[in-house]
Amino acid sequence: MSDDEQAGGPAQDAPDKPDTARSPDAGGKRADDRKNAGDKKAGQKDADARKADRRRDRDDRSRDDDGASDDGDDDTAEDEAAEREKERERAAGRFREHTRDPLAEEDGEDGPTDFAAAARARRATRLLFDLGRDWTSFDRSYFRSAHIGDINLRLDTRHTGAGIRGGPVPDDELRRLRRVHVEPEGYRQLCRTLRARRLLVLGAAPGTGRTSTALSLLDEVTITAVRTADTGPATGSRVRRVDGDDGVRRLAASLDEPRGGEEEAAPRATGYLLELSLTRPGALPPDEMDLDELAAALERRDAYAVVVVTVGSAANPLLTGRYGMICPPAPTAELLRTRLRERLEGRTAAAPDGGAGPADLPARAEELWAREEVRDAVGLNDLRPAEAELLASLLAGHVLGDFDHEALLTGCRSLAASQAQEWFAGVDRALTAPAAEPDGTTHRVGTATLFHPVAFRIALAVLGGASHSAVAAAAHLLTWELSVQCDPDNTPARPLFCDDPETDLALSRAELKDGEVEVAGGEVPARLIWYRGSALPSAVLSELWDRHFPVRTPVVRWLRQLADDPRSQVWMRAAVAAGELCVRDFDHGWTELVRPLAEAGTPRRRIFAATTLDQAAGHASHRGTVHRLVGDWSRGGSAAQRWTAAMALGYGNAAATTGDTLDALARIGVRDDGDQLAVASFNVVRLLALPDAAQVLARMSEWTHHKREPYQDLGLVTTVRLAVTTVDEVLVDDPDAPLAGRGDWPLPLALAATRPELVAPMADLMWTALNTARARDVAMDALERLLRSAVRKDGTEWTRPGLAALLPALAPEEFDRRGLDLLLRRMMHDHENPLPDAQARDLWWLAVTPPPRTRGRGPRRERTREEERHG
């Protein structure tokens, strides 16, 4: 049964075909054959309909004593024509329903879906979890300890805890500090401020070298004071650490207290280092009067003090006062160069290969650090002092021949994992003992304040590359979930005006960049945020999922909430990160995330589940499992599961081959009278951006010429959807792909411009849709959209090269060209959006001008399946 028979009649609105025959080298009389075959079968359909009407008339006459008059025959003919017209309208209406946007169910048929924005967000996020990079390898997350040469790496020993107890700083430590300390930017200003005020409150993130900088400042100012006064404390006690539990008031009082009967209270020209911990529940910072009192006591004793604090809301009053200053980190290049010199300066043995001398070792080590594979293994944009020291040990050990290249990369991968472990180790240790209230109740104080830095790091690992506001909002949402999980009997409270973006950046090793985000289909300026290191997102998620099992429950609840976020930059990034978490523990991810969301009632949640499955399928260890699950859903799952399976198949990774993917999508599309034809056709089109596009077009042609109507509808709907889909909605992850620079192009024109071998099959599919009754209206609208995309509104060229390749193949005969002429004239007389005459003429000449041919006569075009059947 032909397409026209299914639609209730042929599409005869096009102009009649002239008697001129098609040229031999165009492949025969294709237009004549198609039109005559359509007329023949349409006539048979009309004859069958008339016979059925006559049978109904005879039945009516048997019940009508008066019989039928000539007027009754005329009425019957009119009824037949009206019934045929209604059938054509019903068929066209069903087809139009199948071609609606399958993702617009929440907002209505014409509501925006922003799937193109979601596709771009997915590509950006997958770059953070690049499956081919060493730092996301499965072994990395379980790296806990190693012995490489004489370097013993024990990541489990690096925990945050109480500060160092009080006591003198050894003279050896001060000498080494003078030799290896790298001055951060603004160090001279810090030193001048300390000399002038005697007291300095130094704020920085942990691990940035703030303590070393404080010791270096105290060493410099006190040694100058000792030399000036020609007296002072014994060597080694010139700089002292003060127990942080004593606080500022205790230190001020101790400066004037007598010691063991001595006439003077404390030694003069001494430097004091005090590290305050303000993150503990109930910890209060000293006020300005306490600092003034300490500064006065230091002045009396000709002494100096540096108070080190962690940046954050609790330390803001200190850092914004007269004694507060921020300590910037030391430059990475100088840090590493200094540590390498320290490691290699004592080695006198010749280099192991090539006979290079010891003087060449630092240069060889720096050259090794410049290699891309080593930098990728480290995955950090800048290094902190402890990291620079470890990396210097690794580089030095390798150039000295202590261990091989693979061991070097293994050690380099430990740096980001070590940072993630420090961030999460013992965060809630201070909350294990709830505070008792006077009425006997207990509750944990300050849970939200304590958990916010942790929540921000997790949110940044999941949403890296999104706007800062989106990450901050997600972090607050996760802070709530963590606080409720920790203290479920009390509602967490968080101050509303204590956020500090600079603090979030410092505590999370993050950076802000100017960029753009998409809002309602348009791009607007925004401040985007990333980790300062490609290895940190994966390291954070691995540490979170593998070593802190109780936190999974609030994180899963949080991810489900992100799945409902209307912003593509949020829910799509969360879906990709959820896929990475499923790789860590697929059983847990399947139970808590994938299956519940795959059966959800909203399209966004089901796309979230499909994206999560696709991300897991990117790992060879889970690819077979995902293939089996999606295949089962396509065969016997619920309606929601089949819908989710179709979206997963559209990524191209959810089945073993392209043929298997197309088979599964066909099963979904034709089942239940095409109930999910829209989503199946949408995901077939997404496959056309992959290298196997020719195979996809061949299968679409088979569906279009199938003997069963559901398969015909699948082919026709997919063809129309191809014409209205842009490249951004289907573009794969490769940034160097030929389609990458044509994001706003209609997909068929971009393919025609970049892959000439696809022009003929695309033109045949579109010709069939344009000449099939039930598809003709929507196909003509789609063709009009393609024609209007030739130039932009400002007159610059847009898709004209693609139209120049596609139009001659779409209208090779006079019959097809007359139809194109009518469409162009209709567009020129459109009252709302008339097509300029010059553009219409240009499009006409694009269609009638054959594409340039190479020397010699190429192979004849193969006959289509329709021509073989009917011609």
Side-chain angles (χ1 to χ4, degrees):
M1 186 178 294
S2 71
D3 296 337
D4 294 330
E5 288 178 312
Q6 309 297 337
Q12 294 295 337
D13 295 334
D16 294 334
K17 181 182 180 302
D19 295 333
T20 56
R22 185 181 178 187
S23 59
D25 59 345
K29 301 179 180 181
R30 180 181 68 172
D32 281 335
D33 294 339
R34 287 174 174 168
K35 186 173 182 297
N36 292 337
D39 292 342
K40 184 188 300 182
K41 298 207 171 194
Q44 182 63 38
K45 173 65 178 180
D46 290 342
D48 293 341
R50 285 193 296 272
K51 290 180 181 178
D53 291 340
R54 282 195 294 270
R55 284 194 297 269
R56 287 194 297 271
D57 291 342
R58 284 195 298 268
D59 294 337
D60 292 339
R61 282 194 296 271
S62 65
R63 294 188 296 268
D64 191 346
D65 295 335
D66 296 335
S69 63
D70 292 340
D71 293 339
D73 291 339
D74 294 338
D75 293 340
T76 301
E78 293 176 0
D79 292 342
E80 291 177 1
E83 184 63 28
R84 288 195 300 273
E85 182 62 26
K86 290 180 180 179
E87 177 61 27
R88 281 194 292 269
E89 292 177 357
R90 285 193 293 268
R94 289 194 301 268
F95 190 87
R96 188 176 294 277
E97 178 67 17
H98 289 320
T99 57
R100 66 179 176 81
D101 191 340
L103 311 180
E105 296 179 10
E106 293 176 327
D107 304 313
E109 184 175 345
D110 299 325
T113 58
D114 290 335
F115 192 78
R120 284 187 286 272
R122 172 181 173 269
R123 290 192 294 275
T125 308
R126 283 173 66 87
L127 294 177
L128 301 179
F129 302 105
D130 190 346
L131 304 182
R133 303 284 284 274
D134 290 334
W135 49 265
T136 56
S137 65
F138 215 66
D139 297 335
R140 177 190 181 92
S141 302
Y142 296 102
F143 182 88
R144 291 292 170 256
S145 64
H147 188 77
I148 304 174
D150 60 351
I151 306 170
N152 188 25
L153 308 176
R154 284 290 302 171
L155 304 186
D156 294 333
T157 61
R158 299 184 65 179
H159 293 292
T160 57
I164 299 176
R165 296 295 179 180
V169 179
D171 189 55
D172 291 343
E173 183 175 344
L174 291 177
R175 280 198 300 268
R176 180 181 182 273
L177 186 64
R178 295 188 204 109
R179 186 174 66 254
V180 302
H181 181 257
V182 177
E183 295 181 358
E185 183 181 358
Y187 178 84
R188 290 293 104 194
Q189 179 62 32
L190 295 175
C191 191
R192 287 193 294 269
T193 302
L194 179 58
R195 281 198 175 99
R197 298 176 182 172
R198 299 283 177 173
L199 174 63
L200 182 65
V201 178
L202 196 61
T208 56
R210 57 184 186 172
T211 302
S212 297
T213 299
L215 287 173
S216 180
L217 289 169
L218 291 172
D219 178 52
E220 183 170 342
V221 297
T222 56
I223 199 171
T224 303
V226 169
R227 291 170 180 171
T228 302
D230 197 21
T231 182
T235 302
S237 60
R238 183 167 38 84
V239 178
R240 302 180 62 89
R241 288 188 176 93
V242 180
D243 191 347
D245 292 338
D246 292 343
V248 171
R249 290 185 180 181
R250 177 59 182 159
L251 176 59
S254 67
L255 293 176
D256 295 325
E257 290 179 355
R259 295 189 178 185
E262 296 180 3
E263 183 179 351
E264 291 190 351
R268 305 179 67 83
T270 301
Y272 298 93
L273 172 63
L274 176 62
E275 298 185 60
L276 291 183
S277 177
L278 303 178
T279 59
R280 294 175 298 176
L284 297 176
D287 55 30
E288 198 75 7
M289 294 182 62
D290 294 332
L291 297 177
D292 289 339
E293 182 181 352
L294 176 58
L298 292 168
E299 180 72 28
R300 289 193 296 270
R301 304 309 303 163
D302 192 24
Y304 302 88
V306 176
V307 179
V308 175
V309 296
T310 300
V311 292
S313 58
N316 281 344
L318 296 176
L319 297 176
T320 56
R322 69 172 66 93
Y323 301 102
M325 295 190 73
I326 297 295
C327 179
T332 295
E334 186 61 28
L335 265 177
L336 187 58
R337 189 175 298 111
T338 302
R339 298 300 189 267
L340 282 172
R341 184 174 62 249
E342 181 189 18
R343 287 282 177 177
L344 296 173
E345 65 182 3
R347 304 300 291 256
T348 58
D353 46 67
D360 298 328
L361 294 178
R364 292 180 57 199
E366 292 186 27
E367 181 184 355
L368 184 63
W369 165 239
R371 295 180 184 176
E372 184 177 359
E373 58 179 343
V374 177
R375 288 184 175 271
D376 285 348
V378 173
L380 300 172
N381 292 1
D382 40 43
L383 298 176
R384 294 179 171 181
E387 296 165 348
E389 187 167 356
L390 176 57
L391 180 60
S393 300
L394 293 168
L395 295 173
H398 180 64
V399 298
L400 292 169
D402 294 338
F403 46 82
D404 60 14
H405 189 70
E406 187 59 35
L408 168 67
L409 297 181
T410 300
C412 290
R413 296 185 192 111
S414 71
L415 297 179
S418 178
Q419 175 64 94
Q421 185 171 342
E422 285 186 27
W423 278 341
F424 293 101
V427 171
D428 56 355
R429 187 179 296 118
L431 300 177
T432 55
E437 297 291 334
D439 58 0
T441 61
T442 60
H443 72 280
R444 294 180 170 88
V445 182
T447 55
T449 302
L450 181 67
F451 285 132
H452 178 70
V454 175
F456 191 89
R457 292 161 187 157
I458 298 172
L460 184 56
V462 171
L463 304 179
S467 64
H468 180 258
S469 60
V471 175
H476 280 289
L477 190 62
L478 181 56
T479 299
W480 176 278
E481 294 293 343
L482 295 174
S483 301
V484 170
Q485 185 74 14
C486 182
D487 191 11
D489 296 330
N490 296 282
T491 301
R494 176 167 176 78
L496 299 180
F497 299 98
C498 290
D499 275 358
D500 184 359
E502 294 182 358
T503 297
D504 290 338
L505 298 179
L507 294 180
S508 301
R509 301 184 72 163
E511 62 181 345
L512 288 173
K513 296 181 180 179
D514 292 329
E516 295 179 336
V517 296
E518 296 193 35
V519 177
E523 294 185 344
V524 296
R527 296 284 282 168
L528 309 182
I529 185 170
W530 280 274
Y531 271 118
R532 290 188 56 80
S534 57
L536 287 172
S538 180
V540 166
L541 295 183
S542 299
E543 173 70 17
L544 177 76
W545 217 243
D546 297 340
R547 293 173 60 89
H548 303 281
F549 189 85
V551 84
R552 290 188 180 187
T553 298
V555 168
V556 165
R557 290 199 302 264
W558 174 67
L559 289 173
R560 289 182 179 180
Q561 294 178 68
L562 295 185
D564 296 324
D565 195 292
R567 294 168 294 183
S568 301
Q569 61 166 324
V570 173
W571 68 264
M572 181 55 79
R573 282 182 165 88
V576 174
E580 289 296 308
L581 294 179
C582 284
V583 173
R584 318 306 309 176
D585 186 349
F586 193 83
D587 175 62
H588 188 88
W590 162 259
T591 304
E592 299 294 333
L593 278 173
V594 176
R595 185 168 183 175
L597 295 179
E599 298 173 347
T602 60
R604 186 177 293 119
R605 283 198 161 202
R606 296 197 294 267
I607 300 174
F608 189 102
T611 307
T612 300
L613 283 175
D614 171 73
Q615 187 69 15
H619 295 262
S621 56
H622 291 69
R623 191 169 298 135
T625 301
V626 174
H627 292 175
R628 179 181 57 80
L629 290 172
V630 173
D632 291 344
W633 279 354
S634 69
R635 294 181 182 90
S638 64
Q641 288 174 341
R642 293 196 304 275
W643 199 98
T644 304
M647 290 303 303
L649 289 163
Y651 288 114
N653 299 319
T657 65
T658 302
D660 293 341
T661 301
L662 294 169
D663 289 341
L665 287 171
R667 286 195 297 268
I668 296 171
V670 303
R671 182 170 172 173
D672 297 335
D673 297 327
D675 183 57
Q676 294 188 351
L677 179 58
V679 69
S681 62
F682 175 80
N683 287 284
V684 172
V685 171
R686 293 173 67 196
L687 298 174
L688 287 169
L690 302 178
D692 293 336
Q695 182 179 352
V696 177
L697 292 173
R699 183 67 65 89
M700 290 169 58
S701 180
E702 291 181 11
W703 291 335
T704 303
H705 302 120
H706 199 278
K707 62 181 180 180
R708 292 181 55 194
E709 182 178 351
Y711 284 95
Q712 296 175 17
D713 286 343
L714 177 59
L716 292 170
V717 170
T718 305
T719 301
V720 173
R721 194 174 298 282
L722 165 63
V724 299
T725 300
T726 62
V727 173
D728 271 337
E729 296 178 76
V730 300
L731 186 60
V732 293
D733 304 318
D734 184 7
D736 298 325
L739 299 179
R742 297 176 168 85
D744 59 348
W745 281 43
L747 180 58
L749 301 184
L751 290 173
T754 58
R755 301 186 62 179
E757 73 277 8
L758 303 181
V759 170
M762 284 193 299
D764 285 343
L765 287 167
M766 294 182 66
W767 188 96
T768 303
L770 288 167
N771 289 275
T772 301
R774 62 182 180 274
R776 185 176 187 276
D777 291 342
V778 291
M780 193 64 70
D781 293 341
L783 178 59
E784 180 177 343
R785 291 179 59 177
L786 295 181
L787 295 174
R788 290 187 181 277
S789 70
V791 295
R792 302 184 186 274
K793 292 183 178 180
D794 59 1
T796 58
E797 186 177 274
W798 187 4
T799 66
R800 189 178 184 278
L803 286 167
L806 183 62
L807 284 180
L810 186 60
E813 303 291 341
E814 184 66 24
F815 172 75
D816 305 316
R817 294 173 183 175
R818 292 183 64 184
L820 177 63
D821 178 70
L822 285 179
L823 176 59
L824 290 173
R825 293 178 183 276
R826 190 184 74 184
M827 294 168 61
M828 293 168 61
H829 294 88
D830 190 335
H831 295 291
E832 297 182 357
N833 186 21
L835 183 70
D837 294 353
Q839 291 186 25
R841 286 193 297 270
D842 181 63
L843 291 170
W844 171 255
W845 286 112
L846 287 180
V848 300
T849 303
R853 296 181 180 180
T854 59
R855 288 181 176 272
R857 186 182 182 87
R860 292 172 59 89
R861 175 186 171 278
E862 295 183 1
R863 293 165 63 86
T864 65
R865 182 170 180 174
E866 182 175 339
E867 290 170 340
E868 292 176 353
R869 177 179 297 177
H870 304 298

